[in-house]
Amino acid sequence: MIPIRVLVVEDDPRIADLHRRFADRVSGFEVVGLATDFAEAVEQAEVLEPDLILLDLYLPQGNGLELLKQLRAEGSQVDVILITAAREADTLQDALRGGVFDYIIKPVVFARFEESLQKYAAFRLRLTEDAALEQADVDHLLHGRGAGHSTPQSGVPKGIDPLTLEKVQAVFPTAKSPALSAEAVGLALGVSRSTARRYLEYLVSAGFLEADVQYGTVGRPERQYQRCRS
């Protein structure tokens, strides 16, 4: 899988390096550049053409929202997650109107940072699927609601972590997603086969996935999991 290319824009070099290290810890992302002022951010965005910018609001020579407006005016399709100490409602409104994917308030906690990047990766994957969107898909993309058969994130049984559950669900964005074994899902998420199987079987019981037994080249049966079609 081609990694999502990230540009970190942050005026404090220490925080910029922290956000770079955070991004490097999230599977599927690659930091391709660091910029610490407005002019450098514009140059790197144009040269590196990242998929995602982790954008600070306050920059020397300008601010993040001005940078976003300039990039949009130039036709850039880059996505943005704003990371800022600004807590004013007006700033949040301006950010949302500018089309930011998420808004994270400093100081950044890794769990919140990771959640944002994972949701962005799932969002990006869903939009690249060659399939017509249903209303449930649109609701999920715009509002974070589950598409199709949703899985309750509250009241899950013991041994099922809601965040890990969301990661497993994101591996199967649509009914056209390929069937995968527990081993393949475990490798994709960096967890053991037994852990992946536990979550997969729970999603089967919840109606989100369906399972079928297939035989490999040596004749050993293996359960394959796929998103439910209805």
Side-chain angles (χ1 to χ4, degrees), residues 155-171:
V156 295
K158 184 177 180 180
I160 300 294
D161 172 65
L163 183 57
T164 303
L165 188 61
E166 288 185 359
K167 295 179 184 179
V168 177
Q169 287 178 279
V171 177

Side-chain angles (χ1 to χ4, degrees), residues 80-97:
V80 171
I81 293 176
L82 199 65
I83 303 179
T84 176
R87 297 169 181 263
E88 299 82 8
D90 288 347
T91 303
L92 174 58
Q93 288 182 345
D94 288 342
L96 294 175
R97 289 166 182 158

Side-chain angles (χ1 to χ4, degrees), residues 16-30:
D17 185 62
L18 175 65
H19 293 171
R20 177 192 61 78
R21 289 188 283 116
F22 275 4
D24 284 340
R25 289 171 59 185
V26 183
S27 177
F29 289 83
E30 176 189 10

Side-chain angles (χ1 to χ4, degrees), residues 7-17 33-44 54-63 67:
L7 170 62
V8 176
V9 178
E10 164 63 54
D11 70 324
D12 187 325
R14 295 171 301 174
I15 297 178
D17 185 62
L34 297 175
T36 57
D37 61 42
F38 190 94
E40 189 177 23
V42 171
E43 180 180 13
Q44 292 204 31
L54 303 179
L55 181 61
D56 187 18
L57 182 61
Y58 302 114
L59 299 169
Q61 306 141 2
N63 67 50
L67 174 62

